[in-house]
Amino acid sequence: EKIPSEKELSEEYSVSRITIRRAVEELCDEGYLVKQHGKGTFVNKPKLYRKVTQSNYVESFTETCRSNGMKASGRVVRKQIVPIRQDEQTFFCLPENSNLIYISRVRSADDQPVMMENIFLPYEGNEYLLAADLDKLSLFTLIEQHTGLRPTNTAQRTIEVLRAPADVAELLDVPVGEPMFYINVYFQNDNKQPVYIGRQYM
């Protein structure tokens, strides 16, 4: 919601506009408020906190939302069969003529889009995903139910900051060029068996 103007807040709380301005700036710096040019100052949406440590342990998006008191949801953007690339071939130990299942989903916390995930898995053994309703299900849980493999750690994970491309910006409801994280993750189970590759915009 939009907050009152500096003048209105100054009159309501009987303090100077300089004090109001400083308080608003501090709340903006801390992420509670956000200024929108030409529109005013608004209460910011709740943030989703996710621990980033040197541990290779991973948790699903659904688990992350639950630990933040939020409800996870998703929307499938794309499902298709694609040819394997070199890094995927190496990770999955598959021949060069293999195919993968590619799934793109927008993940939301309390109905606020926060992540676009691109998932790659071997086609063989994961065909069930092409017919599965992935809008409300945790991929971690679904994979474990069908294959017995649950992602528990990562073989490799890289994080970089980039500006939102037009297609991603539209899906996540942010301006084109908005800074965001791009995370490339190679998920495996406790026995170091490859499970899937995630390429995520957050």
Side-chain angles (χ1 to χ4, degrees):
E1 295 180 357
K2 184 178 179 180
I3 68 168
S5 67
E6 288 182 4
K7 181 176 182 297
E8 291 170 325
L9 289 169
S10 176
E11 291 172 354
E12 182 176 350
Y13 294 103
S14 301
V15 294
S16 71
R17 290 182 67 169
I18 293 174
T19 300
I20 293 294
R21 188 172 300 130
R22 183 179 301 160
V24 168
E25 286 173 356
E26 287 180 6
L27 289 169
C28 285
D29 290 341
E30 294 173 11
Y32 294 105
L33 299 177
V34 60
K35 291 183 178 180
Q36 296 184 13
H37 185 67
K39 294 183 179 179
T41 303
F42 295 79
V43 177
N44 213 353
K45 295 183 175 75
K47 293 181 179 179
L48 178 67
Y49 291 94
R50 190 167 201 167
K51 292 181 181 179
V52 179
T53 67
Q54 291 190 350
S55 167
N56 285 333
Y57 171 77
V58 295
E59 66 179 9
S60 71
F61 181 81
T62 302
E63 291 167 337
T64 297
C65 286
R66 191 179 298 121
S67 65
N68 281 270
M70 296 176 170
K71 182 180 179 182
S73 60
R75 177 170 65 87
V76 174
V77 178
R78 190 176 297 112
K79 274 188 197 180
Q80 61 190 85
I81 300 169
V82 297
I84 199 165
R85 293 175 289 196
Q86 181 61 55
D87 68 309
E88 298 158 348
Q89 182 185 340
T90 302
F91 177 64
F92 292 120
C93 301
L94 292 173
E96 60 183 21
N97 61 347
S98 300
N99 287 324
L100 300 179
I101 293 176
Y102 163 50
I103 300 167
S104 180
R105 293 195 298 180
V106 173
R107 303 306 310 274
S108 299
D110 285 347
D111 297 322
Q112 172 66 30
V114 294
M115 178 172 72
M116 177 183 175
E117 65 177 1
N118 298 290
I119 302 157
F120 298 85
L121 313 92
Y123 174 77
E124 192 172 336
N126 292 299
E127 300 91 338
Y128 64 92
L129 289 170
L130 294 172
D133 179 4
L134 300 176
D135 287 348
K136 298 177 182 178
L137 296 174
S138 165
L139 193 66
F140 279 33
T141 302
L142 190 62
I143 291 172
E144 184 177 26
Q145 288 173 349
H146 283 83
T147 68
L149 301 174
R150 182 175 181 85
T152 55
N153 58 77
T154 60
Q156 179 184 338
R157 172 172 30 189
T158 59
I159 303 175
E160 58 184 292
V161 176
L162 45 71
R163 296 194 177 276
D167 58 335
V168 175
E170 182 179 358
L171 289 168
L172 295 182
D173 194 23
V174 298
V176 175
E178 178 89 349
M180 59 174 48
F181 288 113
Y182 176 69
I183 307 172
N184 199 19
V185 192
Y186 296 77
F187 292 99
Q188 58 186 17
N189 70 356
D190 282 334
N191 296 323
K192 298 189 176 179
Q193 291 175 277
V195 182
Y196 76 88
I197 296 172
R199 298 189 168 106
Q200 308 161 344
Y201 293 89
M202 294 190 70

